[in-house]
Amino acid sequence: MPVGRIVRSIAGFFYVEPVESDGKLIECAARGKLKYQSEALVVGDWVDYELEETKGVITRVHPRENLLKRPYIANVNLIVLVFAHTNPDPNDLLMAKFLVLAESSGIPYMIVFNKTDLVSKRKANQLAEKYRNYGYKVLCTSVVSHLGKRKLQQELAGKVAVFAGPSGVGKSALLNMVSPGLELRTGAVSEKIGRGKHTTREVQLLKTRQNGYIADTPGFTQIDLDFIEPQQLSDYFPEFESFKEYCKFSTCCHDAEPQCGVKQAVSECKVDEMRYQNYLELLAEVRKFYKNRYR
Ligand SMILES: Nc1nc2c(ncn2[C@@H]2O[C@H](COP(=O)(O)OP(=O)(O)OP(=O)(O)O)[C@@H](O)[C@H]2O)c(=O)[nH]1
Ligand SMILES: [Mg+2]
Ligand SMILES: [Zn+2]
């Protein structure tokens, strides 16, 4: 039975790339149960299919390694969180949210700060270093000067990578840079609002020249952390981790509790004050969702 990967799904049809393929996709329908269960088949899934002349029928889906919710893609190896040094300006709270989302997925991820050509070297390094100090992997890129191109290509080689981040930061432009020939549409950043206009819509996996796949995604404008329990949130701030053992209560949310290792670390400048404030803001948000759910 032939095996392939779903790289695209449109209106009940799945486009499958055979394991050993010349890049040609096979249009497949789904059989039986797979047809009626929503989310039975997702872009990124490995499937068995039967060929009927030039078309195929998917008969089985292989167990998933993971399933990313936004965008809906299975078996992802890397999340690339893209932000811009400017235009649009980086927003620490929004970044904290993206980082929490990535961390909670359990999938490896990294930060790319794009549009490095638009700011001074000093400013670019400052931002990159700040996030490196929090413990994240950071790469600075520019589609204009091709800064970081080789490194990004190396990161993507052989992987299924998802590019996520706010609108207008240059996700599609970066993908075009690392894999010329994709010719993804990019959009001018609106002068007025300082962000893009959602040029990218459909979710699909595109084959790169580095023998991997990448998924471009539309920029998110809103992220709801509605699936996170208040007590879990701090698990997604990696730099808090080593201080939690000093919290008096194992259920500590590092907020109003006495004898909190994280708060102590903030007061000793071992944890960044701004990150802690971002944490508290997200905690308030998570608690609100939590209350509404259990009311
Ligand atoms: N100066 C500069 N401009 C860039 C760079 N990368 C992208 N741009 C420009 O920024 C604008 C937005 O780029 P896109 O690639 O469409 O942004 P996106 O993140 O895909 O946006 P959405 O699809 O809306 O989520 C375009 O006008 C690009 O030409 C860069 O490194 N430097
Ligand atoms: Mg785009
Ligand atoms: Zn605590």
Side-chain angles (χ1 to χ4, degrees):
M1 177 108 34
V3 173
R5 194 201 296 266
I6 300 177
V7 296
R8 201 171 173 198
S9 105
I10 303 166
F13 285 101
F14 302 92
Y15 293 83
V16 172
E17 185 165 324
V19 169
E20 275 164 34
S21 97
D22 50 2
K24 226 167 105 185
L25 304 183
I26 297 171
E27 187 184 287
C28 293
R31 175 169 291 168
K33 265 201 322 220
L34 295 176
K35 192 146 94 190
Y36 302 108
Q37 275 173 5
S38 68
E39 294 153 24
L41 295 173
V42 173
V43 168
D45 271 332
W46 286 103
V47 294
D48 295 343
Y49 63 94
E50 280 167 14
L51 258 187
E52 291 171 359
E53 292 178 27
T54 59
K55 306 237 160 136
V57 178
I58 295 173
T59 54
R60 186 177 85 93
V61 55
H62 297 204
R64 285 174 192 146
E65 220 173 286
N66 57 49
L67 178 62
L68 193 61
K69 295 281 155 58
R70 282 189 67 179
Y72 228 76
I73 301 184
N75 304 318
V76 176
N77 305 120
L78 176 69
I79 300 171
V80 180
L81 293 178
V82 185
F83 304 97
H85 279 288
T86 185
N87 196 21
D89 283 339
N91 172 320
D92 290 308
L93 185 62
L94 185 64
M95 286 185 57
K97 271 190 175 185
F98 272 102
L99 288 162
V100 164
L101 210 59
E103 180 76 29
S104 67
S105 75
I107 298 167
Y109 60 95
M110 63 183 291
I111 298 174
V112 164
F113 286 121
N114 189 38
K115 307 202 186 187
T116 310
D117 58 284
L118 295 180
V119 295
S120 70
K121 247 193 183 140
R122 217 192 89 231
K123 206 173 162 205
N125 282 335
Q126 245 172 21
L127 183 66
E129 276 310 304
K130 185 165 93 171
Y131 277 86
R132 279 191 193 113
N133 285 334
Y134 300 155
Y136 297 114
K137 182 167 184 175
V138 176
L139 181 66
C140 288
T141 59
S142 165
V143 173
V144 172
S145 73
H146 282 197
L147 176 77
K149 178 175 162 179
R150 283 276 293 283
K151 280 200 180 135
L152 190 53
Q153 285 172 331
Q154 280 164 7
E155 293 291 343
L156 301 176
K159 291 181 192 156
V160 174
V162 171
F163 277 52
S167 188
V169 294
K171 296 180 295 296
S172 300
L174 274 173
L175 293 178
N176 287 334
M177 175 178 84
V178 293
S179 203
L182 292 179
E183 286 167 20
L184 294 166
R185 277 187 60 206
T186 61
V189 171
S190 157
E191 293 286 323
K192 250 204 213 130
I193 51 175
R195 54 186 162 87
K197 289 173 292 190
H198 291 298
T199 325
T200 309
R201 283 172 194 284
E202 191 196 358
V203 174
Q204 58 173 322
L205 291 179
L206 303 157
K207 193 127 200 184
T208 64
R209 291 197 178 177
Q210 294 79 40
N211 203 24
Y213 291 92
I214 40 186
D216 191 11
T217 71
F220 302 174
T221 42
Q222 198 191 340
I223 302 173
D224 289 336
L225 300 176
D226 51 356
F227 58 94
I228 292 174
E229 316 243 321
Q231 264 184 43
Q232 281 179 326
L233 183 66
S234 70
D235 295 347
Y236 307 134
F237 283 72
E239 77 268 39
F240 292 6
E241 204 47 50
S242 61
F243 303 108
K244 285 188 200 165
E245 61 177 298
Y246 304 110
C247 295
K248 181 172 181 192
F249 302 103
S250 62
T251 55
C252 190
C253 284
H254 326 297
D255 176 16
E257 297 89 343
Q259 291 185 43
C260 165
V262 174
K263 278 194 288 184
Q264 179 72 23
V266 174
S267 72
E268 291 168 5
C269 298
K270 290 177 183 158
V271 160
D272 185 81
E273 170 72 30
M274 181 212 74
R275 280 278 288 178
Y276 179 65
Q277 290 305 327
N278 288 165
Y279 166 76
L280 289 182
E281 277 188 61
L282 297 192
L283 183 65
E285 199 171 304
V286 167
R287 279 180 167 152
K288 219 188 280 164
F289 281 122
Y290 192 75
K291 251 199 212 142
N292 289 340
R293 226 177 320 153
Y294 295 104
R295 207 165 43 192

